[in-house]
Amino acid sequence: MAKRDDAHAGADRGGQLSALLDQAERVLTRLEQAFAPAPAAPDWDSAAAFRWRKRGNHTWLQAVRHLSPIALDDLQGIDEQKRRVERNTGQFTAGRPANNVLLTGARGTGKSSLVKACLNKYAPRGLRLIEMDKTDLVDLPDLMDLLMDRPERFIVFADDLSFDEGEVGYKALKSVLDGSIAAQADNVLIYATSNRRHLLPEYMHENLTYQHTESGEVHPGEVVEEKISLSDRFGLWVSFYPFDQDHYLRIVEHWLQAFGATPKQASSAHAEALVWALERGSRSGRIAWQFARDYAGRKAR
């Protein structure tokens, strides 16, 4: 009996010790976060684009030395999307009112390329771009503090953005867009690309949260409202659609000529380009560019 009591007492002491260790670890984590060094401002003139980097509690902005050279003229078949995003970016760079932008739709149709092309056009006028991974969006308030008093104009770019249920970056982005007690900095906009219009997975069963009353009034369910609320905070929505065959072949010809082919050689590659797209199950600007690289490389031998 005494042995069992000793065993129980030892187990209790072990449990208490484990709880104390867990509590101490939580306190140390909070202290590390509280005293983590603020991110140092980089040399803003050293590059037009930067990446937000994080290692442990240390954060910094890393200059991107070699930008994609893509230009607006390289983007074919998305003229209306180009017009809207370029106009918004031009307004912003000139110091006029502009909106946060959400670019959504089919994969490979030029969403992120359009953002890069706008940067290449407006960087000489003071535009800077900061790319953030989805997992780092919790640091957005710290980044805003770093940028808000700068003379440059900043686009914070989140590429291929989508969230799963409960991810912390979701609420941080909502707050920065239009939900914090602090006003959004006048010199910062958020540009995001996604294959999902509302940035979160949507399920059929969520429609059951809609209720119809006797008066005929429809009350949207809270689950659906929560999912729509983030995309609503982007002032400009730009949608991208799959390309038809003619658009796809025009993009193929453009890139083949960019790689040195003559117009006649580019036209003669149509059949191979269509087979290439069929094998990948998609006609898009990305597929056209990949085919042109392969074709030009093979013909250059």
Side-chain angles (χ1 to χ4, degrees):
M1 183 70 177
K3 289 183 178 179
R4 284 202 299 270
D5 290 342
D6 290 343
H8 286 308
D12 289 342
R13 286 194 296 271
Q16 292 172 356
L17 179 59
S18 178
L20 287 172
L21 289 173
D22 289 342
Q23 185 177 5
E25 186 174 348
R26 289 195 296 271
V27 171
L28 287 173
T29 299
R30 287 197 292 268
L31 286 173
E32 288 177 357
Q33 293 172 346
F35 293 101
D43 178 3
W44 295 114
D45 294 326
S46 65
F50 300 82
R51 289 191 182 97
W52 182 264
R53 304 301 301 271
K54 188 171 187 177
R55 184 171 298 150
N57 289 319
H58 179 58
T59 58
W60 72 98
L61 284 165
Q62 181 184 59
V64 178
R65 301 299 181 187
H66 303 287
L67 291 178
S68 167
I70 194 163
L72 289 166
D73 289 341
D74 290 326
L75 303 175
Q76 307 289 312
I78 53 170
D79 293 342
E80 177 60 18
Q81 292 89 338
K82 280 197 298 184
R83 184 189 66 80
R84 297 179 68 195
V85 176
E86 182 186 2
R87 181 186 63 191
N88 191 76
T89 307
Q91 290 172 198
F92 174 62
T93 306
R96 302 195 302 272
N99 277 303
N100 300 301
V101 182
L102 177 61
L103 304 93
T104 64
R107 68 188 189 275
T109 49
K111 298 184 293 294
S112 58
S113 294
L114 180 51
V115 177
K116 297 170 189 175
C118 285
L119 173 65
N120 287 332
K121 178 173 180 177
Y122 290 104
R125 308 182 199 181
L127 183 65
R128 298 291 181 268
L129 183 142
I130 298 172
E131 186 175 31
M132 292 191 82
D133 290 335
K134 176 181 69 172
T135 55
D136 295 330
L137 289 175
V138 291
D139 298 325
L140 264 175
D142 295 332
L143 178 60
M144 292 297 176
D145 289 341
L146 185 65
L147 303 180
M148 64 186 308
D149 294 325
R150 294 292 311 173
E152 299 87 359
R153 316 291 287 177
F154 295 96
I155 289 175
V156 178
F157 179 45
D159 191 24
D160 197 19
L161 187 62
S162 64
F163 294 98
D164 294 321
E165 301 288 349
E167 287 194 74
V168 291
Y170 175 83
K171 293 192 179 295
L173 181 56
K174 276 182 62 176
S175 179
V176 167
L177 283 170
D178 188 20
S180 171
I181 191 172
Q184 184 175 338
D186 289 337
N187 65 331
V188 182
L189 287 182
I190 309 292
Y191 280 26
T193 70
S194 179
N195 294 329
R196 291 173 173 166
R197 181 71 173 268
H198 293 138
L199 304 175
L200 280 165
E202 300 175 71
Y203 304 102
M204 288 296 295
H205 70 80
E206 291 164 356
N207 291 323
L208 300 178
T209 62
Y210 280 81
Q211 296 180 357
H212 298 265
T213 65
E214 292 181 0
S215 64
E217 183 180 2
V218 178
H219 298 281
E222 292 180 357
V223 173
V224 177
E225 284 291 287
E226 171 68 13
K227 292 194 171 185
I228 294 174
S229 63
L230 176 57
S231 56
D232 270 354
R233 299 185 186 206
F234 289 89
L236 183 61
W237 287 5
V238 183
S239 298
F240 291 71
Y241 307 98
F243 295 142
D244 61 25
Q245 181 170 299
D246 290 340
H247 275 155
Y248 169 71
L249 291 176
R250 283 203 299 271
I251 298 169
V252 166
E253 290 186 8
H254 170 82
W255 284 119
L256 283 174
Q257 292 180 55
F259 287 124
T262 65
K264 183 178 180 180
Q265 290 171 330
S267 296
S268 68
H270 283 189
E272 289 188 55
L274 291 174
V275 172
W276 183 277
L278 184 63
E279 290 174 344
R280 283 150 184 79
S282 173
R283 289 191 297 258
S284 70
R286 179 182 297 132
I287 298 299
W289 181 76
Q290 291 169 347
F291 167 76
R293 286 177 61 88
D294 177 79
Y295 186 89
R298 286 188 283 112
K299 298 302 180 182
R301 288 184 298 176

